[in-house]
Amino acid sequence: MQTLVDLNADAGESLGRWKLGHDADLMAHVTSVNVACGFHASDPVTMRESVRTAARTGTAIGAHPGLPDLVGFGRRRMALRPDEAAQIVLYQVGALQATARAEGAEVVHVKPHGALYGMALTDDAITTAITEAVMRLDPDLRIFWLAGPTADLASSLGARVVREGFADLEYDDDGRIIVEPDPQAKDPEAVAQQAVDLLEGHVTSNSGTRLDVEVDTICLHGDRPNAVDVCQAIVRRFDELGVERRPPR
């Protein structure tokens, strides 16, 4: 079992007076966050507050660019050409980079959000376009892709790929995650066990098939109602097993 991993969560998904997530509580435990950049969620002030919280807690900051769909929270697919998908990623990453720089912080990774991420898992042209765009922007930026064929493709392009696994999502038999349109509370201990399974190099699909997988980072979703309980259960299990948490390098 590997004993070193990044523990990652989504953040900055509030919008104006509408609040979502548990950013401060999660950043006390995770080692990196993906900050929404205004297309699927967030706004300029929320982005600034998320950056400030991450900087204060020593949490690595990543951009979480999504589809331009606030109503659907970026979880509904859209018909986009690969170059369009790449450009909306650049637009959002640039906005977060400016915010972070003004706060004396740095954006160190990019992780596409929701349906945009899911579209890339089934379309190599979108994966390639987004990955190459991030590399052109800054070859030192890390890019998070699902461990397996998508991460392998991005790595073959020369990107600094962080192979991602999900503690709180189900997998299908092809090793793809099943995105929940409306995340509900989950059993913290079951999620923690899936995180441990990922460290041991495998995950069980929703049909009971064992899938081999190697990950550098494990994600949990900040908008899940009991996200803090889930996070704390994962941390307890990691501490019991001597697993060190640190941002991806």
Side-chain angles (χ1 to χ4, degrees):
M1 184 183 73
Q2 69 186 77
T3 56
L4 181 65
V5 73
D6 173 48
L7 185 58
N8 171 268
D10 298 342
E13 294 180 325
S14 297
L15 177 62
R17 295 180 62 187
W18 182 73
K19 302 302 179 184
L20 180 69
H22 312 271
D23 290 5
D25 290 333
L26 289 176
M27 288 190 212
H29 300 290
V30 301
T31 46
S32 69
V33 287
N34 321 301
V35 178
C37 303
F39 270 30
H40 76 276
S42 196
D43 58 74
V45 173
T46 298
M47 290 166 65
R48 181 190 66 193
E49 294 308 310
S50 298
V51 165
R52 287 178 173 176
T53 303
R56 185 174 66 251
T57 57
T59 309
I61 300 167
H64 205 26
L67 295 175
D69 180 18
L70 285 171
V71 173
F73 199 67
R75 287 178 172 151
R76 304 183 295 190
R77 289 185 174 231
M78 299 177 68
L80 292 177
R81 300 190 310 268
D83 65 297
E84 291 175 315
Q87 193 58 37
I88 67 171
V89 167
L90 290 179
Y91 184 95
Q92 294 172 82
V93 173
L96 188 64
Q97 285 180 320
T99 300
R101 189 171 301 165
E103 296 297 326
E106 179 186 11
V107 174
V108 298
H109 74 263
V110 176
K111 175 187 167 180
H113 167 269
L116 180 59
Y117 189 98
M119 289 160 60
L121 299 184
T122 57
D123 190 333
D124 287 353
I126 290 179
T127 301
T128 299
I130 291 174
T131 301
E132 290 182 338
V134 170
M135 292 170 62
R136 287 195 303 273
L137 175 63
D138 182 350
D140 288 331
L141 277 172
R142 297 151 188 82
I143 185 162
F144 284 30
W145 284 123
L146 183 67
T150 304
D152 293 344
L153 171 58
S155 183
S156 74
L157 299 171
R160 297 188 65 180
V161 177
V162 178
R163 300 167 299 169
E164 184 171 36
F166 289 81
D168 63 347
L169 293 181
E170 292 186 340
Y171 284 69
D172 65 21
D173 288 344
D174 293 322
R176 299 193 183 102
I177 52 171
I178 301 171
V179 178
E180 301 167 80
D182 183 21
Q184 301 298 310
K186 282 199 168 183
D187 177 1
E189 296 306 322
V191 175
Q193 182 58 54
Q194 182 157 309
V196 171
D197 290 347
L198 287 166
L199 293 180
E200 293 178 339
H202 65 91
V203 69
T204 302
S205 77
N206 60 346
S207 74
T209 301
R210 179 184 167 117
L211 307 169
D212 293 332
V213 60
E214 294 184 12
V215 302
D216 306 304
T217 182
I218 294 176
C219 178
L220 59 100
H221 286 83
D223 63 332
R224 196 173 295 285
N226 65 334
V228 176
D229 292 338
V230 165
C231 183
Q232 291 174 338
I234 293 173
V235 169
R236 282 195 302 272
R237 288 295 302 279
F238 282 5
D239 287 347
E240 290 168 0
L241 295 168
V243 175
E244 180 184 350
R245 306 184 306 280
R246 76 175 187 193
R249 297 179 179 177

